[in-house]
Amino acid sequence: MDEQPRLMHSHGVGMAGHPGLAQHMQDGTAGTDGEGRKQDIGDILQQIMTITDQSLDEAQARKHALNCHRMKPALFNVLCEIKEKTVLSIRGAQEEEPPDPQLMRLDNMLLAEGVAGPEKGGGSAAAAAAAAATGGVGADNSAEHSDYRAKLTQIRQIYHTELEKYEQACNEFTTHVMNLLREQSRTRPISPKEIERMVGIIHRKFSSIQMQLKQSTCEAVMILRSRFLDARRKRRNFNKQATEILNEYFYSHLSNPYPSEEAKEELAKKCSITVSQVSRIKRMSRSDRNVSNWFGNKRIRYKKNIGKFQEEANMYAARTAVNATSVSAHGSQANSPSTPNSAGSAGSFNMSNSGDLFMSVQSLNGDSYQGGQVGANIQSQVDTLRHVISQTGGYSDSLAASQMYSPQGINTNGGWQDAPTPSSVTSPTEGPGSVHSDTSN
DNA sequence: TGAGATGATTATTC
DNA sequence: GAATAATCATCTCA
């Protein structure tokens, strides 16, 4: 409450010489003679100076008297002007701040993520982008999309609720401060401009709180995104058909289980590892990378534990042999180039037992079709089949079941032989009827 | 719930 | 740049 005397003293401003007051007085609202005016001003100043020395009741009475004083409006105007000139001029330069770049960045990000601004499908665009980056797989992705969208919507709701709360609190506080200042302006020089400035300060304080809110929201969105994008988290086992296709190829090319890029693409298509997303790491589609991963894992794990995979190898051998026989039989009748080649022929890969899953590895390997081989291979395939069945079904063959399949594709160094060799799931004689001769490789 | 299976990633090697 | 080996993270199943 002692602000006024201090102000006036510290700046050495005499009211008598103040133009505002002088004008006010000249308007005829003040006293008419100079002596009277001086006396009035002196009285007021004296009252103000001693107001703090008085008791509360006395001060209240004085305050009331001052408020009712005929010179009060003029004095108030003068004090306000002095305050404006001294205080506001110091602060004025600091108030013109450029928009905060960090706040702008946060706003932009929230807009881009669909958190701020008009709702546009709960960030479906972001979800789609994220899905594209993962090279997502149809149905699985739609579920994850909805999950992503739901979480983003949740973040959006929390953000808007909190924002609303802050805005409400800001408005309430501003109103409260404005009322307080207006009230105080009855006893101390507070101009509307100063109230405005105070409102600005309050708004800036609340903006900094808002910025924290925006920052937290951005962080939440980033975490959500990173989780959604983290491929490891959303690993899905290939379906049974896909695994079978890959295994069929693997065991039919056991001597050289390194599918070409074209073969990988074809396998990816056949396995419904359907994505067109270009890999971020290499210029290889994600589907091809899936296939590559699969073959990489398969080769290593097979090599590490051949014994464990024998049964699997036998199973695929038998299946391939059966397919080969049946296809060869049909093929010999139709003798059409469009008919899949026999499994016994080089690089052939038959999935006829799975209907539309039929795939010719000839095309995968780029080998040409040799329709003439079909008939010639029938007998050897039948022999192979007979042999395989004898191994698995308990024919009194001299070979033990464990001997039926031998990992001949692997050389003594633990690596696959470079040279294409008649492969693996074959009769011990490795005759022409070898089911997986894989000579194409 | 734990063990094994499996797809993906990373570092290293050639 | 591709393959390998080791490892991680998740899934599946008993």
Side-chain angles (χ1 to χ4, degrees):
Chain A
M1 287 297 282
D2 59 350
E3 187 182 10
Q4 292 164 23
R6 260 195 287 124
L7 266 174
M8 290 188 312
H9 282 294
S10 62
H11 298 290
V13 180
M15 274 184 292
H18 195 278
L21 182 57
Q23 194 188 346
H24 186 77
M25 286 170 172
Q26 278 162 11
D27 289 345
T29 50
T32 49
D33 72 288
E35 281 306 309
R37 287 200 301 265
K38 278 184 186 173
Q39 183 61 42
D40 280 342
I41 293 163
D43 283 350
I44 294 167
L45 284 173
Q46 191 57 41
Q47 284 173 27
I48 292 168
M49 298 284 275
T50 57
I51 204 160
T52 50
D53 301 332
Q54 296 154 2
S55 69
L56 194 60
D57 289 341
E58 254 184 325
Q60 286 292 349
R62 280 289 164 78
K63 188 177 145 190
H64 182 69
L66 275 170
N67 277 333
C68 298
H69 199 280
R70 62 195 178 104
M71 293 296 289
K72 193 253 177 181
L75 182 63
F76 185 83
N77 279 345
V78 171
L79 289 172
C80 282
E81 279 182 39
I82 293 166
K83 203 173 171 187
E84 289 293 324
K85 282 188 177 174
T86 54
V87 181
L88 297 184
S89 62
I90 296 167
R91 295 174 181 170
Q94 303 167 354
E95 286 177 1
E96 289 172 11
E97 291 169 4
D100 189 346
Q102 197 191 348
L103 188 62
M104 283 173 71
R105 272 200 300 275
L106 290 172
D107 281 337
N108 287 340
M109 186 187 161
L110 290 174
L111 271 172
E113 294 294 334
V115 175
E119 190 157 15
K120 44 185 181 184
S124 56
T134 60
V137 183
D140 287 347
N141 257 16
S142 64
E144 279 157 19
H145 278 197
S146 59
D147 190 35
Y148 180 86
R149 272 198 291 273
K151 286 190 170 125
L152 200 67
T153 307
Q154 212 176 337
I155 290 172
R156 186 187 160 91
Q157 276 170 354
I158 292 168
Y159 171 74
H160 283 287
T161 309
E162 291 298 310
L163 203 63
E164 216 168 291
K165 267 191 214 167
Y166 282 132
E167 274 166 7
Q168 199 181 341
C170 180
N171 288 337
E172 278 174 14
F173 189 68
T174 305
T175 311
H176 178 71
V177 169
M178 279 170 71
N179 289 338
L180 205 67
L181 289 173
R182 280 195 194 116
E183 181 67 25
Q184 287 189 359
S185 71
R186 293 172 61 188
T187 53
R188 65 190 187 97
I190 299 170
S191 64
K193 208 172 174 182
E194 196 178 350
I195 294 175
E196 207 177 291
R197 192 170 57 83
M198 191 58 78
V199 169
I201 290 169
I202 294 167
H203 282 172
R204 273 198 295 281
K205 292 283 176 199
F206 274 90
S207 317
S208 71
I209 295 170
Q210 267 190 20
M211 192 155 91
Q212 283 174 20
L213 171 69
K214 285 174 181 176
Q215 227 160 4
S216 308
T217 309
C218 281
E219 278 169 22
V221 171
M222 293 310 289
I223 289 166
L224 179 66
R225 265 196 98 135
S226 67
R227 280 191 184 164
F228 189 73
L229 287 168
D230 191 345
R232 266 189 176 173
R233 285 179 191 278
K234 56 193 289 303
R235 183 180 78 75
R236 294 279 182 277
N237 288 352
F238 295 162
N239 62 36
K240 206 177 170 186
Q241 276 185 346
T243 312
E244 285 194 355
I245 291 169
L246 293 168
N247 271 319
E248 291 250 11
Y249 186 94
F250 181 81
Y251 288 113
S252 67
H253 293 75
L254 201 56
S255 65
N256 191 24
Y258 299 90
S260 64
E261 288 306 306
E262 292 77 21
K264 283 178 193 170
E265 269 178 40
E266 195 70 27
L267 283 167
K269 276 183 201 164
K270 291 287 173 187
C271 296
S272 302
I273 308 169
T274 55
V275 270
S276 55
Q277 168 75 27
V278 174
S279 163
R280 286 164 294 172
I281 302 164
K282 297 171 187 173
R283 292 193 67 79
M284 183 194 284
S285 76
R286 182 143 189 126
S287 51
D288 291 350
R289 218 149 44 102
N290 287 339
V291 174
S292 298
N293 284 339
W294 190 91
F295 273 92
N297 285 327
K298 188 74 180 181
R299 280 192 298 265
I300 289 166
R301 285 162 188 168
Y302 171 81
K303 207 158 80 173
K304 270 187 181 173
N305 197 349
I306 291 165
K308 196 181 93 181
F309 288 97
Q310 261 187 3
E311 198 181 331
E312 191 177 66
N314 291 343
M315 190 188 76
Y316 281 102
R319 189 183 297 180
T320 308
V322 169
N323 294 337
T325 309
S326 97
V327 168
S328 295
H330 288 301
S332 62
Q333 286 172 355
N335 198 22
S336 162
S338 63
T339 308
N341 202 353
S342 74
S345 64
S348 284
F349 183 57
N350 191 340
M351 288 294 294
S352 61
N353 66 327
S354 50
D356 59 339
L357 284 173
F358 170 83
M359 179 171 67
S360 167
V361 176
Q362 277 197 318
S363 66
L364 298 177
N365 292 331
D367 293 338
S368 61
Y369 175 81
Q370 296 174 351
Q373 290 182 351
V374 173
N377 284 329
I378 295 174
Q379 187 54 52
S380 60
Q381 286 156 5
V382 169
D383 290 343
T384 305
L385 175 62
R386 197 171 287 156
H387 171 73
V388 169
I389 292 168
S390 75
Q391 296 302 316
T392 54
Y395 269 82
S396 58
D397 198 287
S398 59
L399 288 167
S402 61
Q403 286 177 293
M404 179 193 110
Y405 169 77
S406 61
Q408 296 190 22
I410 300 173
N411 62 26
T412 50
N413 297 327
W416 260 272
Q417 293 167 1
D418 288 339
T421 52
S423 152
S424 48
V425 191
T426 64
S427 67
T429 55
E430 285 292 329
S434 172
V435 174
H436 302 295
S437 59
D438 197 19
T439 50
S440 64
N441 288 319

